[in-house]
Amino acid sequence: LSSLHKSLKLKDNKPIIYNKSDLTWKIYKYLGELFFKIRRFNYAEKFLLLANQSLSERKSPEVFFLLGRLNFYKQEYNKSFTFFSQMFNQEYIPLRLLREAKSVFLNLLLFNTFEQDATDILAKEYFDKPEEILRVADTYYMNDNFEQALKLYLLSVKKFGVDSSLLFKLGFICSKLRILDQASYYFEMYLSKEPDDLDALSNLAFIYLNLEKLEEAEKMYLKVLKLNNFSFEATLHLSIIHISLKNKAKAQMYLEKAKTLNPASQEVIQLYKIFKTELK
């Protein structure tokens, strides 16, 4: 630190050495890095900003990275994101710097949601592995941030293709967002690869029920019962389907079975009242 401060003091007295050279901004950058290492974050930011200001035309991706990392440590996530955005918009990023920058940036995305801007950055060629995007998308998915998760899953599909687990998540998210036609498409695709997945069958059956595709819903719930004869949900919904179809015998059969599986269910009690009203 002492040597760098002396360099700054000498700068004004030796214009030939410093004129149109990289020394000025690099001295500020080194000071910023040193203050960061001793956790003097305010001084670190001061000198890193000076380094950035000293580069009038050509900006340094390294300075943007250092400012992004610094603000991440300070938990100033929006400021950190702004500097990383500027860094990833540079034409060239050294490979050594890129690996470290990607690691910090992906961690940053786990702490906040940056909407479309984050998707635009992850779409760049710098992010060339599916797990980089899916790691962030899965975090949004688990936190019920379905809109942002959907954007990132679709980005991953566009860049790297799709696998079975991703089809299930896309179906589930679309069903949560009430995009039911798209949800049924993804679950149908998933079940073409994993035909005996009970969760997918149940989800697709319920989507068909909401879309009033009663025959398709019945087929799905019958598949569920074939794999799990004690599924209360499938049994209850089959009774609803047959009440809607005015099929008294089957509606009563599934109602009785649902009552056996869950005698205290309020849903069964309410459905009995509907059954008696609709199918006298």
Side-chain angles (χ1 to χ4, degrees):
L1 281 172
S2 176
S3 297
L4 289 168
H5 276 298
K6 287 179 182 178
S7 297
L8 287 174
K9 290 178 181 179
L10 288 169
K11 176 177 73 67
D12 293 331
N13 298 323
K14 298 193 175 183
I16 294 175
I17 296 176
Y18 287 90
N19 188 34
K20 295 184 180 179
S21 76
D22 282 344
L23 287 176
T24 302
W25 78 268
K26 283 186 176 177
I27 291 171
Y28 288 140
K29 178 179 77 74
Y30 293 145
L31 279 165
E33 286 184 287
L34 283 169
F35 277 117
F36 177 82
K37 288 178 181 178
I38 61 174
R39 303 184 69 80
R40 300 286 294 276
F41 292 150
N42 289 336
Y43 282 107
E45 186 168 25
K46 170 188 172 182
F47 284 108
L48 289 172
L49 288 172
L50 284 170
N52 192 43
Q53 291 167 12
S54 298
L55 293 163
S56 56
E57 296 180 4
R58 175 181 55 84
K59 294 296 184 179
S60 166
E62 188 172 5
V63 172
F64 285 136
F65 162 68
L66 293 170
L67 282 163
R69 183 186 65 176
L70 169 66
N71 281 284
F72 176 68
Y73 275 85
K74 290 173 64 179
Q75 298 181 5
E76 297 281 349
Y77 298 133
N78 288 321
K79 286 175 66 176
S80 177
F81 183 84
T82 298
F83 288 119
F84 275 113
S85 296
Q86 292 173 304
M87 189 203 78
F88 284 115
N89 282 322
Q90 299 299 299
E91 291 184 5
Y92 172 72
I93 302 174
L95 186 60
R96 172 196 60 80
L97 175 63
L98 183 60
R99 285 195 291 264
E100 189 175 0
K102 283 166 62 175
S103 176
V104 179
F105 179 71
L106 291 171
N107 284 330
L108 169 65
L109 295 183
L110 303 182
F111 285 85
N112 210 343
T113 303
F114 300 96
E115 301 302 335
Q116 187 60 41
D117 291 339
T119 308
D120 292 341
I121 292 172
L122 292 173
K124 293 181 179 294
E125 61 183 12
Y126 297 126
F127 296 90
D128 54 1
K129 298 180 178 62
E131 57 269 22
E132 293 171 342
I133 296 173
L134 293 177
R135 175 189 170 199
V136 181
D138 286 344
T139 300
Y140 293 152
Y141 177 79
M142 290 184 289
N143 290 332
D144 294 344
N145 189 345
F146 294 126
E147 290 186 3
Q148 190 68 5
L150 179 60
K151 290 179 183 178
L152 294 184
Y153 284 138
L154 290 175
L155 173 62
S156 181
V157 170
K158 182 178 179 181
K159 293 182 75 170
F160 309 110
V162 66
D163 61 18
S164 296
S165 63
L166 198 48
L167 284 169
F168 184 96
K169 289 174 183 175
L170 286 167
F172 183 79
I173 288 173
C174 287
S175 67
K176 286 290 186 180
L177 296 176
R178 306 297 297 172
I179 314 171
L180 298 184
D181 286 331
Q182 200 67 24
S184 66
Y185 168 77
Y186 288 125
F187 277 124
E188 286 164 0
M189 289 285 289
Y190 176 78
L191 286 166
S192 70
K193 301 174 184 292
E194 304 288 343
D196 294 334
D197 188 301
L198 275 170
D199 286 337
L201 287 167
S202 296
N203 275 288
L204 182 56
F206 191 67
I207 290 167
Y208 283 151
L209 192 59
N210 278 271
L211 290 171
E212 297 184 3
K213 296 182 177 181
L214 300 184
E215 291 184 5
E216 289 91 336
E218 181 185 13
K219 288 177 184 177
M220 288 298 109
Y221 280 127
L222 288 174
K223 286 182 180 180
V224 172
L225 287 181
K226 187 175 180 181
L227 294 167
N228 176 16
N229 191 44
F230 299 101
S231 171
F232 171 73
E233 179 189 356
T235 306
L236 184 72
H237 286 148
L238 280 166
S239 65
I240 292 171
I241 289 169
H242 286 291
I243 289 173
S244 299
L245 294 172
K246 306 298 183 182
N247 190 330
K248 184 175 181 179
K250 285 191 175 181
Q252 187 169 11
M253 178 185 73
Y254 287 117
L255 257 178
E256 293 294 338
K257 183 176 180 180
K259 183 180 178 182
T260 302
L261 292 170
N262 191 351
S265 169
Q266 289 299 311
E267 292 173 296
V268 172
I269 294 169
Q270 291 299 320
L271 203 53
Y272 259 112
K273 293 178 181 178
I274 295 170
F275 171 76
K276 289 177 180 177
T277 303
E278 297 290 328
L279 301 176
K280 293 180 181 179

